[in-house]
Amino acid sequence: MSFTNLMLTVLVISALYFIAGQRVARALRSNNAGKLHSLPHYHGVWAAVTSALPALFVLLTILIGKDLLFQFWARDYFPEDVMNGDTVDRAIALAKVSNVINGISFGEVEPWVQAAGDAWIRWDANAIVVANSLVLAVSLVGGLLGYRRINLAFRSRNYVERILTWMLIGSSLVAILTTIGIVLSVLFESIRFFKLIPPQDFLFGLEWNPQFEGAERAGSGGGTATYGMVPMFVGTFLISAIALTVAIPIGLFSAIYLAEYATPRIRGIVKPLLEILAGVPTVVYGFFAALTVAPFVKSVGESMGLEVASESALAAGLVMGVMIIPFISSLSDDVINAVPQSLRDAAYGLGSTRSEAVRQVVLPAALPGIVAAVILAVSRAVGETMIVVMAAGLAANLSFNPLDAVTTVTSQIVTILVGDQEFESAKTLSAFALALMLIITTLALNYFALQIVKKYREQYD
Amino acid sequence: MTDRTYQRLDPQQAAERVKASINLRKRKETRFLWLGKTAVAIALGFLVLLFAGILSKGIPGLFQYYVTLDVRLDARQLDPSGQMTVESLAGGDFDGAILTSLYEALGNPEGRKEKREARRLISSGSSQRLMNYVLDNPEQLESMVSIQFAVDDDVDTFLRGLISRETPEADRRISDQLIGYIDALEAEGRISYEISDYLFFGSASRDAEMAGIRGALVGSILTLLVCIVIAFPLGVATAVYLEEMAPKNRLTEIIEININNLAAVPSVVFGIMGLAIFIVAFGMPRSIPLVGGIVLALMTLPTIIISSRAAIRAVPPSIRDAALGVGASKMQTIMHHVLPLAMPGMLTGTIIGMAQALGETAPLLMIGMVAFIVDVPGGVTDPGTVLPVQIFMWADFAERMFVQKTSAAIIVLLAFLISMNAAAILLRKKLERRW
């Protein structure tokens, strides 16, 4: 049986145990021998769980463990020079073996590779037999043990609920595991990168030229690979700044209009329309930026006698600004609405006009929230990927001119990691270091926004 | 403020001052109102511009030009071994049959140059199309049938008027000779403009006229399936635990901080995690919907958890008290009463999370779903791509017809997103309860 079928079989067995457990509990109840502690279906679930849980655990262990074990065993077949080589050589050797296993052949296969592949196939066949017998035995015996415990006084509901609680706790730990996964995956590769490239060169270097790496390694000259992240961060913040100059005024004034002036009807129409802008996939914005906005910016700039790159920061920034308008407007809208009506009424009572009340009373009261919204928008803009990949170009120019082509952290990450990469090269690893910086930046921005809201929040009630 | 002394004005003076300033203040008020209106108008203007841009290019992209040819289905030519199977048909000369009828329609041009130009008229996928036709209609062998073949993408672009006749011949991609042929076919009424079947049923192709979104659409659906199967139970379970059972302790606090942080992590970072963990460390294959779905599930998890928690919080405590009062256990209260009542809100949040996942591109680029794959994926472990990534790939191709195809694919994607969001809104309206 394949592993999928095995899993299905386990589920079928546990379903049978459910029926059996429920039936025996019902029989106990109808014997009038006494009062059943738990409802019959809890007994059924108990029997099913004792059958399925250990069996699935064993199955999963075998599934994950077998390849690791086989990789270890396969080393016995590797010749001396591979074992004495570095990790790359061993990875190549393993790849060759896995090609043999999958029946892919590129010309002549070395005898030891063939031997290892044949052995692997043999082990795999054995593993399936072992897994089948072990898993089925565990599921049958486990279910039987659970089933035998069912009697009148057996507290199956309590046990089932306890298992359920642990499953809920397990689910909520996934969030933590994800964070750990993100941090570890980025951190380890970054540490390897910093072993190759000194951190100060990366953090303060003004030049970004990873493409020379191959030439450097081959010793053919033609330039040195440099890994300075400053141009990318300047590009990122240039584009974000352009985006914010578009989004802050439009978003903020829209929010003020919607919260303070608009009738409920207009509000009911305009607000969802603005939120459509937030729901449009970023790849669509990227397409729009590259195809429509960038040529437009270029032609307008050239008609004014300016030199505009065809992938200018301005075009990407403008479109990104449009993307974050709803972000700023709906967050600010919430904050403005949270300012109590009594403050406005007091302002009107002193004879102020609506705009005076907004400018001198409502906005100051809402300011911390608005600042937080803007910071969150910055973090959104910094992490935004597709628009810059499609519209901002790849040239790592250190430039503050919005008409130049610049590149960003995210677009470099994508460029480096799309396609095949070798995991030992500094170029690939640099993407992880960039990602680490990106995470630190966005989390710092979010933390900052949270602190502002916490510190300056006015308590009105 | 305290060290300034104000001279008391007499009421008359004060009234005059107010009067003098009132016009200015009114003007300021109007200006402020107009600023707000302009901002809303600009934002909506962008929306209109975006959609107009996409629709104006995308709606023509849903159609393409076909040329109708009368093909003689000669059994000996098309199926030399006569078994009518895919293998035996592969030996047939479909190109020959099509070209014969094409030359016939063009008045049998002489000379190699003329014939070469004529061949450039129809799509290179035409023989495949004829083969499929024969497979579907074996009874029509040995008869004359008229079949619509797609025209080549350059010809299509010309027919749309995007290549001008006035351009010097050397500067455009089609020759005067070819234009003459097109005119002749058009005069005969053989050229038609119809809904593109390649767009919806074709797979990835470098030839713009044959490129379609079917593979990407299937890939998107598979990826979303994996995503929802993982994210929905996990999200709901987490929300239930945090809202109903979690004690106020350090662990709970850490989980909550984690969820908020995850919501703030840029999507591309989830892709990097997927690459480093699932592909490099676990050795899973690249480009498969399974890995894509897992990555998207982890990405949408915070959205689902946050909205599910809101939905659970909206269930009034009296419900719980009543259930506990008649002897239900904590778990029974949650499973039988709180969860069913919170379900509409949870589903709404899940649909919105799925819409977000459907439009996501960057993390899927990281795990290699950007590969050029012609086959339609048959399962979650077959390599495939998804709609937004397909759009990204097409946007990079130089052929002009791809601009329309890309826009058409965007229209399809937006249609899915809008209907998902509309479903969420409807669900909320229909099932929402006020307590």
Side-chain angles (χ1 to χ4, degrees):
Chain A
M1 266 186 284
S2 73
F3 284 101
T4 340
N5 286 342
L6 190 56
M7 198 137 110
L8 288 178
T9 318
V10 168
L11 292 182
V12 169
I13 292 176
S14 87
L16 292 177
Y17 268 117
F18 171 77
I19 296 170
Q22 197 178 21
R23 284 185 64 162
V24 77
R26 280 202 187 125
L28 283 172
R29 186 167 62 182
S30 53
N31 282 346
N32 279 330
K35 203 162 173 294
L36 200 59
H37 171 269
S38 304
L39 291 169
H41 70 261
Y42 280 107
H43 291 291
V45 172
W46 163 253
V49 162
T50 50
S51 145
L53 264 193
L56 288 181
F57 178 73
V58 171
L59 178 63
L60 219 62
T61 318
I62 294 178
L63 209 58
I64 295 171
K66 75 176 174 92
D67 280 355
L68 292 176
L69 186 70
F70 294 168
Q71 280 180 20
F72 185 70
W73 283 353
R75 290 186 177 192
D76 292 348
Y77 290 87
F78 291 177
E80 282 294 309
D81 56 323
V82 171
M83 285 312 292
N84 295 335
D86 55 9
T87 44
V88 186
D89 292 333
R90 283 203 288 274
I92 293 170
L94 266 180
K96 282 183 191 164
V97 175
S98 89
N99 278 343
V100 169
I101 297 163
N102 297 325
I104 309 165
S105 62
F106 302 104
E108 199 70 7
V109 179
E110 291 144 277
W112 62 268
V113 173
Q114 188 65 46
D118 292 342
W120 191 301
I121 293 172
R122 214 165 48 236
W123 297 331
D124 231 9
N126 290 338
I128 287 181
V129 174
V130 170
N132 273 325
S133 41
L134 204 62
V135 168
L136 288 183
V138 168
S139 87
L140 289 172
V141 172
L144 196 64
L145 289 178
Y147 176 79
R148 297 246 326 243
R149 286 188 66 179
I150 297 173
N151 60 37
L152 277 182
F154 183 60
R155 299 166 157 262
S156 65
R157 180 173 59 78
N158 302 33
Y159 288 112
V160 169
E161 289 185 348
R162 203 170 300 160
I163 292 169
L164 255 177
T165 311
W166 279 107
M167 285 167 90
L168 293 184
I169 295 176
S171 305
S172 55
L173 290 182
V174 170
I176 295 186
L177 287 181
T178 311
T179 310
I180 294 175
I182 288 177
V183 170
L184 288 189
S185 60
V186 172
L187 205 61
F188 273 130
E189 310 293 338
S190 300
I191 289 172
R192 282 167 66 191
F193 174 73
F194 288 130
K195 274 184 194 151
L196 297 172
I197 309 289
Q200 66 272 19
D201 286 7
F202 176 69
L203 290 176
F204 307 113
L206 299 180
E207 239 178 285
W208 175 260
N209 264 328
Q211 61 271 25
F212 286 127
E213 187 187 46
E216 196 180 338
R217 198 188 264 184
S220 65
T224 346
T226 43
Y227 299 91
M229 69 169 202
V230 174
M232 258 113 45
F233 269 84
V234 169
T236 303
F237 282 102
L238 178 64
I239 289 182
S240 305
I242 297 167
L244 288 175
T245 15
V246 175
I248 292 179
I250 296 179
L252 196 55
F253 275 109
S254 302
I256 292 172
Y257 176 75
L258 289 178
E260 298 287 330
Y261 288 95
T263 59
R265 228 178 75 108
I266 291 181
R267 196 180 146 82
I269 299 170
V270 171
K271 226 183 154 187
L273 280 180
L274 282 186
E275 266 153 28
I276 290 181
L277 279 178
V280 172
T282 52
V283 67
V284 176
Y285 280 116
F287 182 66
F288 185 66
L291 198 78
T292 311
V293 180
F296 177 72
V297 167
K298 191 174 161 69
S299 69
V300 168
E302 272 165 3
S303 70
M304 294 192 301
L306 296 168
E307 198 175 312
V308 186
S310 58
E311 296 182 313
S312 59
L314 188 58
L318 278 176
V319 174
M320 197 187 278
V322 174
M323 187 196 81
I324 55 180
I325 287 174
F327 207 70
I328 292 185
S329 78
S330 68
L331 282 177
S332 312
D333 190 28
D334 292 345
V335 179
I336 292 172
N337 275 327
V339 175
Q341 187 58 31
S342 56
L343 263 71
R344 292 185 189 86
D345 292 343
Y348 299 149
L350 289 173
S352 72
T353 64
R354 259 184 158 170
S355 65
E356 284 162 352
V358 170
R359 268 181 301 181
Q360 289 164 17
V361 178
V362 177
L363 281 189
L367 198 59
I370 292 173
V371 171
V374 170
I375 294 176
L376 288 179
V378 176
S379 117
R380 241 334 252 283
V382 168
E384 169 47 41
T385 312
M386 292 320 292
I387 295 178
V388 290
V389 168
M390 294 170 83
L394 296 170
N397 296 327
L398 182 55
S399 164
F400 291 96
N401 180 357
L403 301 178
D404 277 351
V406 296
T407 190
T408 68
V409 180
T410 47
S411 71
Q412 279 305 320
I413 294 177
V414 169
T415 323
I416 294 173
L417 289 184
V418 165
D420 293 322
Q421 31 338 84
E422 20 168 1
F423 257 77
E424 295 304 315
S425 80
K427 184 181 171 187
T428 308
L429 293 176
S430 69
F432 288 88
L434 285 177
L436 180 68
M437 296 299 142
L438 183 66
I439 297 175
I440 292 174
T441 314
T442 50
L443 286 189
L445 285 171
N446 281 280
Y447 177 77
F448 202 45
L450 202 68
Q451 289 307 309
I452 287 180
V453 171
K454 261 193 192 155
K455 185 156 182 202
Y456 296 102
R457 179 188 286 157
E458 308 270 348
Q459 294 289 346
Y460 292 107
D461 301 323
Chain B
M1 288 290 247
T2 43
D3 53 350
R4 276 172 71 182
T5 51
Y6 288 97
Q7 278 191 340
R8 180 174 281 186
L9 295 171
D10 63 278
Q12 178 121 32
Q13 266 181 317
E16 267 168 19
R17 257 192 211 185
V18 170
K19 216 175 203 171
S21 74
I22 214 145
N23 273 334
L24 182 68
R25 290 173 62 202
K26 266 190 182 156
R27 269 208 302 282
K28 273 191 175 166
E29 173 73 25
T30 333
R31 211 172 339 158
F32 196 72
L33 179 58
W34 274 102
L35 271 177
K37 283 187 177 167
T38 321
V40 171
I42 292 176
L44 293 183
F46 279 131
L47 184 69
V48 171
L49 213 64
L50 182 69
F51 273 77
I54 303 284
L55 289 180
S56 69
K57 291 202 181 68
I59 289 181
L62 296 171
F63 299 87
Q64 70 186 68
Y65 284 92
Y66 292 88
V67 54
T68 312
L69 294 176
D70 302 318
V71 188
R72 190 173 156 65
L73 301 181
D74 183 357
R76 254 177 320 171
Q77 186 185 14
L78 300 183
D79 190 19
S81 53
Q83 290 155 331
M84 282 310 289
T85 57
V86 179
E87 290 76 33
S88 73
L89 284 175
D93 183 16
F94 288 90
D95 276 325
I98 295 169
L99 287 179
T100 314
S101 48
L102 177 65
Y103 296 152
E104 213 164 281
L106 293 172
N108 288 318
E110 304 276 326
R112 290 175 58 161
K113 191 171 165 283
E114 282 76 18
K115 284 191 172 171
R116 197 181 63 221
E117 286 303 320
R119 277 202 295 276
R120 290 184 56 186
L121 216 147
I122 52 167
S123 157
S124 57
S126 298
S127 57
Q128 184 65 42
R129 194 180 175 90
L130 183 59
M131 190 200 276
N132 291 344
Y133 184 87
V134 172
L135 272 175
D136 292 342
N137 309 288
E139 75 286 350
Q140 289 185 1
L141 268 179
E142 299 297 341
S143 60
M144 225 32 187
V145 291
S146 33
I147 300 177
Q148 290 185 323
F149 296 105
V151 299
D152 187 68
D153 61 333
D154 289 332
V155 177
D156 193 285
T157 311
F158 169 76
L159 283 166
R160 287 170 199 271
L162 299 172
I163 297 178
S164 164
R165 283 166 201 266
E166 272 77 58
T167 322
E169 189 175 3
D171 294 348
R172 52 176 140 82
R173 289 178 63 114
I174 60 176
S175 62
D176 288 339
Q177 175 90 54
L178 189 50
I179 291 179
Y181 288 147
I182 296 170
D183 289 342
L185 287 175
E186 228 173 355
E188 278 183 65
R190 286 185 182 275
I191 301 234
S192 53
Y193 182 61
E194 287 174 37
I195 287 191
S196 163
D197 56 345
Y198 279 117
L199 178 67
F200 295 104
F201 302 110
S203 283
S205 170
R206 281 307 301 246
D207 290 311
E209 75 275 4
M210 296 194 297
I213 55 171
R214 177 151 157 249
L217 207 56
V218 172
S220 268
I221 291 170
L222 289 173
T223 310
L224 275 197
L225 265 182
V226 174
C227 179
I228 199 168
V229 163
I230 295 171
F232 182 64
L234 276 182
V236 169
T238 308
V240 166
Y241 178 70
L242 290 180
E243 278 302 315
E244 296 285 326
M245 324 185 73
K248 280 252 167 287
N249 61 15
R250 207 50 208 270
L251 182 69
T252 314
E253 204 181 313
I254 291 177
I255 295 175
E256 294 200 5
I257 292 174
N258 257 307
I259 292 168
N260 289 332
N261 280 347
L262 280 184
V265 170
S267 63
V268 68
V269 172
F270 282 94
I272 290 180
M273 182 202 63
L275 174 69
I277 292 186
F278 297 113
I279 291 176
V280 175
F282 288 179
M284 286 163 117
R286 279 166 188 278
S287 328
I288 60 171
L290 180 64
V291 177
I294 295 175
V295 168
L296 291 183
L298 296 179
M299 196 194 82
T300 47
L301 205 51
T303 316
I304 296 181
I305 294 174
I306 290 167
S307 62
S308 298
R309 289 184 71 174
I312 293 175
R313 228 175 292 149
V315 176
S318 57
I319 303 269
R320 297 180 186 83
D321 296 342
L324 292 172
V326 295
S329 71
K330 181 97 193 159
M331 197 57 96
Q332 284 170 327
T333 309
I334 294 168
M335 292 292 171
H336 300 172
H337 301 281
V338 178
L339 266 190
L341 289 172
M343 203 39 90
M346 292 176 164
L347 285 179
T348 312
T350 309
I351 295 176
I352 289 171
M354 288 303 116
Q356 189 190 333
L358 177 62
E360 198 54 70
T361 320
L364 300 178
L365 293 183
M366 301 284 95
I367 58 157
M369 289 191 93
V370 66
F372 183 79
I373 292 152
V374 178
D375 294 329
V376 175
V380 291
T381 50
D382 287 351
T385 186
V386 295
L387 210 41
V389 177
Q390 183 81 74
I391 290 168
F392 170 67
M393 280 168 12
W394 279 358
D396 246 13
F397 289 165
E399 286 88 350
R400 276 185 101 155
M401 199 179 167
F402 268 119
V403 172
Q404 285 127 25
K405 286 257 172 164
T406 313
S407 307
I410 288 177
I411 290 182
V412 175
L413 179 64
L414 288 179
F416 269 98
L417 288 177
I418 289 173
S419 41
M420 281 168 87
N421 282 305
I425 292 170
L426 276 184
L427 194 72
R428 184 155 50 194
K429 281 239 168 83
K430 204 164 169 89
L431 300 174
E432 193 178 50
R433 274 205 214 188
R434 294 239 162 258
W435 302 96

